Amino acid sequence: MKKVLISGLNTYLGRRASCYLQSSDFDVTGLVRNLSLFNRIVKEQVTAKLFELDLLRKGEAYENFEISDLNFGIYFTQVPSLDNDIQLQLELLGLRNFVELCKRGGNNRVIYVARLMDEHFLEPVRSLLENLRVQYTIVIKSSVVGKESVLNRIFAKLARRQTIFYWNWVASLKFRPLPLLDVYRWLREMPWENNFISEIIYLGGNEEMTFRGLFYHFLNCSSERPKKEIGVNKFFAKLLLTRLNDINKEDIDEFRRVLYYEKNVDNTTWQKIQAFEFTPLKTYVCVDT
């Protein structure tokens, strides 16, 4: 069995990892800053062992934390954006202290999971990992689809209305979204011990999809009646998205980042080493909605 330490549980990807990364041969320990708050937020059964520990302020819990026979650590990017200097410094501090815990557990192998929006701001992260002399892999992943993801939250609110107002530029954008639970299965199946060391690799979905196409997969699973579509310009699309559908600013901002940074991702590097079969999106959105 592989023993794995994970951090970044306050993020969507990290929070659901605490529920789905654990398996019969994958023993997961997660670090959370505020355990009582985390337990109120998470809506699914947590399967990982959780420890309350602050990677930024450290403190007694950090100093006393012990884990042995660790195989590797997985650090999910924790800050909203790496292009903000203050947030970047917080990310680097948390990562530095996480690496120290991994080394304390007898292992020097760390997987840093970033987003496509982080792609051009990762040099400080890579420099830190090099300076810490850790065997690292940086994984840059596409956006995920799954229960409570930003795409699912927006789609759910759009689906409540009979008329969909859309900006064609957004509706026709193509990308390769990832089924969320496939990401955890991929992390479990990859041969991290002897591969991709000191490398940056990309993880994207297997199917090219427009935002309109993905939305209608979502509708088909929700048994919704056919929608009337009305094309509008950028200004009205933004206005109607927030006013008519009650979508909050944080989700709008995150959705904008998805639109701006998403692109087709080449999985060739890791596929040369490890085969992997993705769940078809049409099937997946009905399973995890």
Side-chain angles (χ1 to χ4, degrees):
M1 175 177 285
K2 296 177 182 178
K3 291 185 67 174
V4 182
L5 183 66
I6 65 174
S7 184
L9 273 63
N10 287 330
T11 66
Y12 174 70
L13 197 68
R15 182 172 69 252
R16 296 198 71 192
S18 71
C19 306
Y20 291 101
L21 189 58
Q22 177 86 15
S23 72
S24 59
D25 59 355
F26 220 70
D27 185 25
V28 180
T29 299
L31 306 176
V32 292
R33 188 176 307 166
N34 186 319
L35 188 56
S36 61
L37 177 61
F38 179 84
N39 287 333
R40 289 198 298 270
I41 293 173
V42 70
K43 299 177 181 178
E44 300 170 289
Q45 182 180 357
V46 174
T47 56
K49 297 186 293 290
L50 300 183
F51 282 84
E52 188 172 71
L53 186 154
D54 193 331
L55 285 175
L56 298 179
R57 298 182 179 179
K58 298 172 85 169
E60 185 177 352
Y62 178 89
E63 300 301 335
N64 294 334
F65 179 78
E66 292 185 7
I67 189 168
S68 58
D69 302 320
L70 188 67
N71 289 93
F72 54 90
I74 301 175
Y75 189 100
F76 299 105
T77 305
Q78 300 193 35
V79 298
S81 177
L82 292 179
D83 64 350
N84 178 293
D85 189 59
I86 294 176
Q87 293 177 3
L88 173 62
Q89 295 308 313
L90 291 174
E91 181 79 357
L92 295 177
L93 177 60
L95 179 58
R96 176 185 293 274
N97 293 333
F98 179 76
V99 170
E100 181 180 324
L101 292 183
C102 290
K103 290 183 176 181
R104 193 186 299 175
N107 194 269
N108 195 39
R109 187 76 175 95
V110 171
I111 316 303
Y112 181 89
V113 183
R115 306 151 299 197
L116 276 173
M117 61 177 282
D118 303 315
E119 181 179 19
H120 301 295
F121 310 103
L122 287 168
E123 191 53 41
V125 171
R126 189 169 194 172
S127 294
L128 174 64
L129 294 170
E130 293 278 1
N131 291 335
L132 293 175
R133 299 182 183 278
V134 64
Q135 293 183 339
Y136 69 88
T137 303
I138 295 175
V139 178
I140 302 177
K141 65 162 195 66
S142 297
S143 288
V144 297
V145 179
K147 185 188 302 181
E148 296 182 6
S149 70
V150 66
L151 292 177
N152 283 57
R153 293 196 302 269
I154 288 177
F155 287 167
K157 291 195 173 182
L158 291 176
R160 294 174 187 171
R161 306 195 66 85
Q162 188 56 38
T163 301
I164 307 298
F165 296 94
Y166 70 96
W167 180 25
N168 190 60
W169 180 80
V170 171
S172 59
L173 273 178
K174 295 180 179 180
F175 70 131
R176 292 182 179 268
L178 283 163
L180 177 70
L181 302 186
D182 280 2
V183 175
Y184 304 136
R185 182 164 55 88
W186 182 83
L187 286 169
R188 288 195 298 267
E189 294 181 9
M190 293 294 283
W192 298 114
E193 287 83 353
N194 301 308
N195 295 280
F196 318 115
I197 296 172
S198 300
E199 292 185 24
I200 295 177
I201 62 175
Y202 286 80
L203 174 63
N206 196 45
E207 300 172 63
E208 186 177 72
M209 179 76 57
T210 65
F211 281 90
R212 178 190 276 114
L214 187 61
F215 175 62
Y216 275 93
H217 278 336
F218 182 91
L219 279 184
N220 290 336
C221 294
S222 306
S223 299
E224 293 284 342
R225 292 175 298 172
K227 303 294 183 180
K228 179 180 180 181
E229 292 186 357
I230 298 178
V232 294
N233 62 26
K234 178 180 179 181
F235 173 80
F236 282 107
K238 177 183 175 182
L239 180 67
L240 295 171
L241 193 64
T242 54
R243 296 286 177 85
L244 288 184
N245 300 291
D246 190 31
I247 299 174
N248 62 46
K249 182 180 183 302
E250 290 75 17
D251 280 353
I252 292 293
D253 288 343
E254 187 174 350
F255 185 55
R256 275 203 205 108
R257 289 193 289 266
V258 172
L259 296 177
Y260 186 78
Y261 290 103
E262 285 300 304
K263 62 181 181 180
N264 283 341
V265 165
D266 184 1
N267 292 324
T268 303
T269 299
W270 59 265
Q271 285 179 332
K272 292 176 181 177
I273 306 295
Q274 179 69 38
F276 185 84
E277 185 173 346
F278 290 94
T279 307
L281 285 169
K282 187 175 182 179
T283 302
Y284 184 81
V285 293
C286 295
V287 173
D288 191 28
T289 298

